[in-house]
Amino acid sequence: MVGQNWDEYRCIARKGLLQFKENLKTIAFTVRAVEVGTEKPTIIAGPCAVHSREQTLEIAQRVREAGADLLRGGAYKPRTSPYSFQGLGLEGLEILAEAREKTGLPIVTEVMDQHKVEEVGFYADVLQIGARNMQNYALLKDVGQYAAEHDEAVLLKTGLFPKLKEVLCAAEYVAVEYDKQGKIPKVILCERGINDSDGIMRNTPRPDFLAELRKATYLPVIGDPSHSTGRRDLVPGVATEYLDAGANGLLIHVIRNDEKPQINGEEVCDYQQGLTASAFARYLEAIKNRAVKQA
Ligand code: PEP
Ligand code: MN
């Protein structure tokens, strides 16, 4: 089934490359000084949205102390309701840049539309493409081109109800832009659960889908237990399920220990799925000896 038409995603297919076709290794690359795609799981953590300078700087500091590799926060947010907090935009990007300066952590942040690729790309080290945009092909091309040109990476989240081939071909759209420039694809895939909630969780985590992606491509694939569960109490367990399935890393939402449901009069974005900074540190301590499956 998968694999049969791997010509359609030829730049990222495991089968296409001798050094990857008989194992589960991934391509390794750097984001600033951070190595991604190695035997060590890559931990991407931070608030769902940048709400304020204090909030973001404190969380950045705490996730760095806990051992995270990259800081993630949204300045432009894709919200279901137009009345929900939409992000601080440029001001949020500047706060993220300050957090990077203070902690040394590279920044992952979402770009939602083609008009903002230059602006977001100027600040970001990793450009995130969200689930709702996984098949926005014009955006995939522009982001791929910009990231390749500026030696940045791309974090591509799986869609709301994706087929394996759709995810692989979406990643191919990005990867081929690196290929055109004679560069290796600095692309990370992220399984974030499918949008068919059973009422218990926000989405349905698919570690099995992540495992299939790992088999089909040599790109690193990480799991997102925050969006896939929508519940902080379920995050550690599902994170471990992703690692058991072969995840190259995790994307985890973190809130401050004393976080209130509102900041500056706005509801904290994805509050109920954020691990407190202490719970996050405990989880990283618990998994510190885990290695990524390579075979
Ligand atoms: C997010 O990462 O904060 C986000 C909005 O995720 P997704 O695109 O997976 O819904
Ligand atoms: Mn979120």
Side-chain angles (χ1 to χ4, degrees), residues 23 41 60 106 148 153 166 183 198 245 254 261 287 290:
N23 56 56
E166 290 167 347
K183 297 180 178 160
D198 52 10
V254 176
I287 60 158
R290 292 202 58 137

Side-chain angles (χ1 to χ4, degrees), residues 48 72 77-78 110 128 130-132 157 192 227 253 270:
C48 176
R72 200 213 78 134
K77 293 302 305 175
E110 178 160 354
Q128 175 174 329
R132 290 151 194 81
K157 300 194 82 174
R192 49 81 76 207
H227 292 89
H253 275 355
D270 287 347

Side-chain angles (χ1 to χ4, degrees), residues 91-273:
E91 188 192 341
L93 295 171
E94 279 171 355
I95 292 169
L96 287 167
E98 186 183 347
R100 172 176 56 207
E101 204 177 296
K102 293 213 154 82
T103 61
L105 296 177
I107 293 170
V108 184
T109 196
E110 178 160 354
V111 56
M112 282 168 49
D113 67 79
Q114 283 174 275
H115 304 113
K116 295 287 183 189
V117 174
E118 297 257 334
E119 180 188 308
V120 176
F122 178 79
Y123 291 91
D125 301 300
V126 181
L127 289 142
Q128 175 174 329
I129 297 174
R132 290 151 194 81
N133 269 321
M134 188 198 81
Q135 288 179 293
N136 180 341
Y137 299 118
L139 182 67
L140 297 177
K141 287 181 194 177
D142 278 9
V143 169
Q145 193 185 348
Y146 181 95
E149 212 173 298
H150 295 83
D151 192 33
E152 291 174 9
V154 177
L155 176 69
L156 177 64
K157 300 194 82 174
T158 50
L160 298 179
F161 232 120
K163 301 265 191 293
L164 205 55
K165 176 179 156 178
E166 290 167 347
V167 178
L168 294 165
C169 287
E172 182 79 7
Y173 265 95
V174 180
V176 77
E177 297 299 330
Y178 286 85
D179 195 58
K180 284 180 196 165
Q181 297 181 34
K183 297 180 178 160
I184 60 156
K186 292 193 175 185
V187 182
I188 305 164
L189 287 169
C190 177
E191 203 294 311
R192 49 81 76 207
I194 51 172
N195 192 20
D196 71 342
S197 172
D198 52 10
I200 297 171
M201 296 191 207
R202 177 179 180 181
N203 292 295
T204 303
R206 294 292 305 272
D208 55 335
F209 194 79
L210 180 145
E212 290 302 318
L213 287 168
R214 289 275 280 115
K215 285 185 216 157
T217 176
Y218 64 81
L219 296 176
V221 189
I222 68 172
D224 174 352
S226 303
H227 292 89
S228 59
T229 65
R231 284 175 47 177
R232 68 173 63 92
D233 61 326
L234 300 179
V235 165
V238 170
T240 299
E241 285 178 32
Y242 279 123
L243 294 174
D244 290 343
N248 293 94
L250 298 165
L251 187 161
I252 298 180
H253 275 355
V254 176
I255 57 174
R256 292 173 287 189
N257 286 342
D258 58 354
E259 201 78 81
K260 302 280 178 298
Q262 292 199 338
I263 300 175
N264 293 338
E266 298 282 0
E267 300 287 325
V268 173
C269 186
D270 287 347
Y271 179 72
Q272 64 298 335
Q273 68 195 40

